[in-house]
Amino acid sequence: MVGSILATQLLGFVAGTFSYAAATFAINFAVSYVVTRVFGSKPPQSQDTGARQQVPPANNNSIPVVYGDAWLGGTFVDAVLSADQKTMYYVLAISSISSDASATFSFDRTKFYYGDRLVTFDGTDLTKVVSLTDGDGNVDTKISGNLYISLYTSTNAGVITAVNGTAPNVTMGGADIPAALRWPSSGRQMNGLAFAIVKLNYNSDAGTTGLPPITFYCKHYPKGGTVAKPGDVWYDYMTDARYGAGMTGLVDSASATALNTYSDQTITYTPAGGGSATQARYRINGVVDTGKPVLDNVEKMLECCDSWMAYNAASGLWSIVINKAETSSFSFNDTNLIGEIRVSAVDINQQINQIQIEFPSKLNRDQPDLVYMETPAGLLYPNEPANRQTTTLEFTNDSVQAQYLGNRRL
């Protein structure tokens, strides 16, 4: 308990700035060791990109869930070939949607990609793809009339909403499909999912002889917000029974609110072009791989807001511990100390002085980007060896936030 209190005080010096000014408070005492995350950083592993990429059919696939703004592929759940064998219909489950009625989920169709080319939809038939634009600005219109993407959301109760077209049983229920394979008017509800039906006409000139990866840009905000605040994300994931922990009544909502308040405070940074700017301290933007253990995902979420989760035996609730400055709540003196106090130094080889952070960059369709930082030479001990830590922030797509977190870690 004492360690937790001290940890929140030690890292408070960077709140709202990237300054190294207080770094002279060097790591001399064992108490500094408690600053290390309670769960500890796990050895770096290859990032599991299964939640980001288009996933082929399998009976063990899990449906990811987007929090904040993110690009991702879909998971094939159905495919039908037309009777004349000229058209394929693909059904892709894209993301789970929160059971909370106040949560919002939307698609940004201006940022869809077909392979590596930007999709442009028709202004009248909103499902029809009329052109593809590559990175050099070259526009290919051969795709027009050969690719249609219909988007849908379904509530937890299975009420389907067509985002840009007709109902699924109309889109995938025409006479060109054998009767037994058509989408039924009821019974297939896709409960709590965002999904798409892709219609692809075979055309060798247009290159539509197979379906390359389609990248969808999605926005999912818990609690009816316009952004994904860390406290709301944590509470939603911990209480949702379909893709999360399903621990309604066992989580401390007040700690989530406190994290939201702290995350909304602004930090100051220097933009690439110079000057000064501010932004909110923490936001969550990423994709949860629901095939991973809940605690692993929670740790990754809270790592992106420099916090951790703890269980309070007195209240019987799981709560968030925010790593931030706090006012003193108790003073130790000769009247309340019993026994000896031991202070020991931390091995100089165990303290990091370089950090490399990998994160999905929002500037490049959430492709991996890197931030590298190191402690200034003037703040190192004599003969202190280089000790680099490598970590991945899966739920941070912003370089400013990644640098801020790296600075705090150092």
Side-chain angles (χ1 to χ4, degrees):
M1 186 62 182
V2 174
S4 298
I5 295 173
L6 289 169
T8 59
Q9 293 175 339
L10 284 176
L11 283 190
F13 69 88
V14 293
T17 178
F18 288 129
S19 173
Y20 283 99
T24 51
F25 189 82
I27 304 177
N28 292 322
F29 305 105
V31 69
S32 300
Y33 183 74
V34 304
V35 176
T36 302
R37 187 167 307 277
V38 170
F39 291 122
S41 295
K42 297 181 179 179
Q45 300 176 349
S46 298
Q47 184 176 0
D48 183 357
T49 57
R52 294 278 190 176
Q53 296 177 341
Q54 191 163 283
V55 181
N59 60 6
N60 60 348
N61 283 336
S62 58
I63 306 301
V65 55
V66 170
Y67 281 119
D69 301 2
W71 276 273
L72 76 165
T75 301
F76 285 98
V77 295
D78 194 12
V80 173
L81 178 63
S82 64
D84 61 7
Q85 299 186 3
K86 293 182 179 180
T87 302
M88 278 294 299
Y89 292 85
Y90 302 92
V91 181
L92 292 91
I94 300 168
S95 172
S96 294
I97 301 176
S98 174
S99 302
D100 180 7
S102 65
T104 60
F105 187 98
S106 62
F107 296 96
D108 187 340
R109 297 186 307 119
T110 67
K111 298 180 179 179
F112 283 11
Y113 282 82
Y114 183 77
D116 289 329
R117 295 182 290 176
L118 181 66
V119 169
T120 299
F121 287 92
D122 183 63
T124 302
D125 182 353
L126 302 182
T127 69
K128 181 181 178 181
V129 176
V130 294
S131 68
L132 301 173
T133 306
D134 65 21
D136 293 325
N138 301 311
V139 180
D140 179 6
T141 59
K142 293 180 181 179
I143 195 73
S144 183
N146 294 299
L147 176 63
Y148 298 81
I149 303 175
S150 300
L151 304 169
Y152 304 91
T153 60
S154 178
T155 67
N156 198 42
V159 179
I160 297 175
T161 298
V163 175
N164 66 332
T166 58
N169 62 301
V170 177
T171 300
M172 199 170 159
D176 62 328
I177 300 177
L181 301 178
R182 296 171 190 169
W183 190 289
S185 58
S186 61
R188 190 180 296 175
Q189 297 173 299
M190 303 292 283
N191 302 63
L193 294 178
F195 65 100
I197 297 179
V198 178
K199 178 183 176 181
L200 190 70
N201 295 323
Y202 184 90
N203 187 321
S204 57
D205 290 337
T208 54
T209 57
L211 186 66
I214 297 178
T215 305
F216 303 89
Y217 188 67
C218 304
K219 303 178 181 182
H220 187 205
Y221 307 138
K223 302 295 183 183
T226 57
V227 295
K229 299 183 179 182
D232 292 340
V233 169
W234 173 80
Y235 186 85
D236 181 83
Y237 187 65
M238 288 293 291
T239 57
D240 196 290
R242 289 181 299 111
Y243 53 74
M247 299 176 64
T248 302
L250 296 175
V251 293
D252 183 4
S253 60
S255 68
T257 301
L259 178 56
N260 284 342
T261 301
Y262 186 64
S263 299
D264 285 342
Q265 295 175 5
T266 57
I267 58 174
T268 302
Y269 67 96
T270 303
S276 179
T278 61
Q279 70 176 43
R281 178 180 278 114
Y282 300 133
R283 292 290 182 255
I284 296 295
N285 293 288
V287 180
V288 178
D289 183 351
T290 53
K292 292 182 178 179
V294 168
L295 282 178
D296 287 355
N297 286 330
V298 169
E299 181 181 351
K300 286 294 185 181
M301 289 177 189
L302 295 182
E303 188 175 14
C304 293
C305 51
D306 200 14
S307 303
W308 58 86
M309 187 170 67
Y311 179 75
N312 189 323
S315 64
L317 300 176
W318 290 92
S319 62
I320 300 171
V321 179
I322 308 171
N323 197 11
K324 65 184 183 72
E326 294 284 5
T327 57
S328 175
S329 59
F330 188 80
S331 298
F332 292 99
N333 54 50
D334 291 341
T335 66
N336 53 36
L337 284 176
I338 301 176
E340 61 183 353
I341 299 177
R342 292 186 179 183
V343 178
S344 58
V346 174
D347 186 346
I348 195 173
N349 294 306
Q350 293 182 359
Q351 59 189 56
I352 65 169
N353 46 41
Q354 301 175 359
I355 188 165
Q356 179 176 296
I357 297 176
E358 180 178 315
F359 67 100
S361 174
K362 64 183 179 182
L363 301 178
N364 189 24
R365 284 186 286 154
D366 287 351
Q367 297 303 303
D369 201 350
L370 291 175
V371 166
Y372 176 78
M373 309 175 73
E374 60 183 32
T375 302
L379 298 178
L380 299 177
Y381 289 114
N383 302 318
E384 181 177 338
N387 188 7
R388 179 185 299 183
Q389 182 184 86
T390 301
T391 188
T392 300
L393 298 177
E394 296 181 11
F395 297 96
T396 296
N397 66 359
D398 178 74
S399 63
V400 174
Q401 185 174 334
Q403 291 178 62
Y404 178 74
L405 289 164
N407 211 7
R408 291 177 69 94
R409 186 71 63 86
L410 282 178

